[in-house]
Amino acid sequence: MKHQPPPPTRRWGVVAAVVALVLLACLQIQYQHLKVDLGKAGFASATQENNAIPSRNRIRWGTARIRKAATGADSLPRGIVQRHSDMSLRPLWKDDAASTHKNKNGDHSALLAMAVGISQIKNVDTMARKFLKDNYAVMLFHYDGNVDGWRHLEWSDKAIHILAHNQTKWWFAKRFLHPDVMAIYDFIFLWDEDLGVENFNPRRYLDIMVSEGLEITQPALDPDLSTDIHHRITIRNKMTKVHRRIYDNRPSMNCSDESKGPPCTGWVEGMAPVFSHAAWKCVWHLIQNDLIHGWGLDMKLGYCAQGDRTEKVGVIDSEYVVHQGIPSLGGPSLSSKTPRRSLDLRTHIRRQSSAELEKFKERWNRAVREDEGWRDPFDS
């Protein structure tokens, strides 16, 4: 009897099975090559170790890895993980007199951080003493490279000194004031170096912040002695302890009870801001890595106020300062005889600041457009 060939359907099925096996073999070979290329040679040994673990322990190990993966500490026992740090100096040997940077009354812990140059050493000395007297921490960002010039001050060894040539306080803050490192501090003072503090007490200031429920503040400016006042809301009101808004009928301002945002209310200037810890956790993310002059930030700080900025942001009048208006990073005071090079530097810095302001506005607007899930809490 003549042998009948297999039906066409069965023949094509055999061919498809062979092709599938070939493709599977190729994929397996490519997978092995990819593991080597990505440096995952240890995957096999880790799998073997995991298989050697009893099933109940394997489940527990997998859960632990998931729990700690977000911190990058998945290979450590949970109890050893230290999520936060601080700026307290640790002695090389036992020193009972070592400062803990805690308020004497145990009420608040705070950090004063400033970008400083040696030309303002006298003024900074006065400011630092005020804060160290209440056992608050002091961190100096040296933009002129001169750290040794501060060594003779009796408190110098109690402060943290960081050097980077010609950088602003916002540059330093983004790199050295991460919220996890700042976790120990209830308040962050991020100040300019040209503030007169004769009528300022940091402990009383923080007491007012707490009692008023404020998250972002600045001390008011003495209108008689300050030489550089840009916004009316920063001027001291002698009749109040705190003010949160101003009233201005000029068409360019039109600040009234109906005003809902900066610069009429919910706003402080960038020269002397003070942040609660909760607010700083937000502000740090708002600071741009490359826009180091900080122009435009003040108009958005209210988004970090932990609530209604018209209530949580304010200017404290009873503890006020003098803004001396001394330019840094570009030369001495404009009231003195400045060399040509200093004037040129100031011009370049202002141009760069203006350019950064426009970039920051563009980034904010683009971020708002692209984040479809975000809703402006202050958009009426």
Side-chain angles (χ1 to χ4, degrees), residues 170-182:
W170 301 108
W171 184 93
F172 283 106
K174 188 64 175 178
R175 287 150 182 83
F176 300 104
L177 300 184
H178 189 280
D180 284 352
V181 180
M182 297 293 103

Side-chain angles (χ1 to χ4, degrees), residues 23-288:
L23 288 175
L24 183 62
C26 292
L27 289 174
Q28 182 67 18
I29 294 172
Q30 290 180 348
Y31 172 67
Q32 294 297 331
H33 288 171
L34 182 61
K35 284 201 305 182
V36 174
D37 292 341
L38 295 178
K40 294 184 178 179
F43 176 78
S45 61
T47 303
Q48 293 172 1
E49 292 176 4
N50 191 47
N51 290 335
I53 301 173
S55 59
R56 62 180 182 275
N57 293 339
R58 193 183 311 153
I59 294 173
R60 188 167 59 215
W61 170 253
T63 304
R65 290 178 65 88
I66 294 173
R67 182 183 66 233
K68 291 181 287 187
T71 67
D74 55 298
S75 61
L76 301 175
R78 180 170 57 179
I80 201 65
V81 174
Q82 298 291 305
R83 295 188 60 189
H84 304 296
S85 184
D86 56 54
M87 293 296 169
S88 298
L89 298 176
R90 308 297 177 183
L92 295 177
W93 56 90
K94 185 177 181 180
D95 184 2
D96 294 334
S99 172
T100 61
H101 298 314
K102 189 71 176 178
N103 180 266
K104 293 177 180 178
N105 299 324
D107 295 331
H108 318 296
S109 58
L111 170 75
L112 169 66
M114 294 183 289
V116 301
I118 195 65
S119 62
Q120 294 302 313
I121 187 171
K122 183 177 180 180
N123 195 64
V124 173
D125 179 36
T126 301
M127 298 169 70
R129 289 177 185 274
K130 286 257 185 178
F131 282 79
L132 290 168
K133 182 180 179 181
D134 283 318
N135 221 21
Y136 298 140
V138 172
M139 178 183 289
L140 301 183
F141 305 132
H142 298 273
Y143 60 76
D144 63 352
N146 190 337
V147 178
D148 291 336
W150 301 76
R151 299 299 183 193
H152 68 282
L153 298 174
E154 64 182 47
W155 52 264
S156 181
D157 289 341
K158 299 178 182 177
I160 307 297
H161 299 267
I162 298 176
L163 184 155
H165 288 274
N166 293 331
Q167 301 303 313
T168 70
K169 68 179 183 182
W170 301 108
W171 184 93
F172 283 106
K174 188 64 175 178
R175 287 150 182 83
F176 300 104
L177 300 184
H178 189 280
D180 284 352
V181 180
M182 297 293 103
I184 190 177
Y185 303 111
D186 301 317
F187 299 95
I188 310 296
F189 292 74
L190 188 58
W191 280 14
D192 289 353
E193 61 182 331
D194 62 342
L195 301 177
V197 294
E198 181 180 354
N199 298 292
F200 181 84
N201 181 292
R203 182 176 59 81
R204 291 200 300 262
Y205 185 93
L206 294 181
D207 287 340
I208 294 172
M209 275 193 70
V210 173
S211 65
E212 293 286 332
L214 295 166
E215 299 284 340
I216 301 176
T217 65
Q218 74 158 82
L221 303 183
D222 186 332
D224 299 322
L225 298 178
S226 297
T227 60
D228 203 10
I229 297 180
H230 301 121
H231 302 275
R232 290 187 61 184
I233 196 172
T234 64
I235 298 176
R236 182 192 178 208
N237 185 340
K238 297 180 180 180
M239 305 301 294
T240 63
K241 181 169 62 176
V242 174
H243 69 268
R244 294 174 170 83
R245 63 171 60 246
I246 59 167
Y247 299 91
D248 192 332
N249 295 326
R250 291 177 299 173
S252 59
M253 292 289 290
N254 193 26
C255 294
S256 66
D257 284 326
E258 303 301 318
S259 301
K260 301 299 182 182
C264 300
T265 185
W267 183 84
V268 298
E269 197 169 0
M271 76 185 71
V274 183
F275 306 100
S276 70
H277 174 70
W280 179 250
K281 289 176 68 175
C282 170
V283 172
W284 185 87
H285 291 284
L286 181 64
I287 299 172
Q288 304 294 289

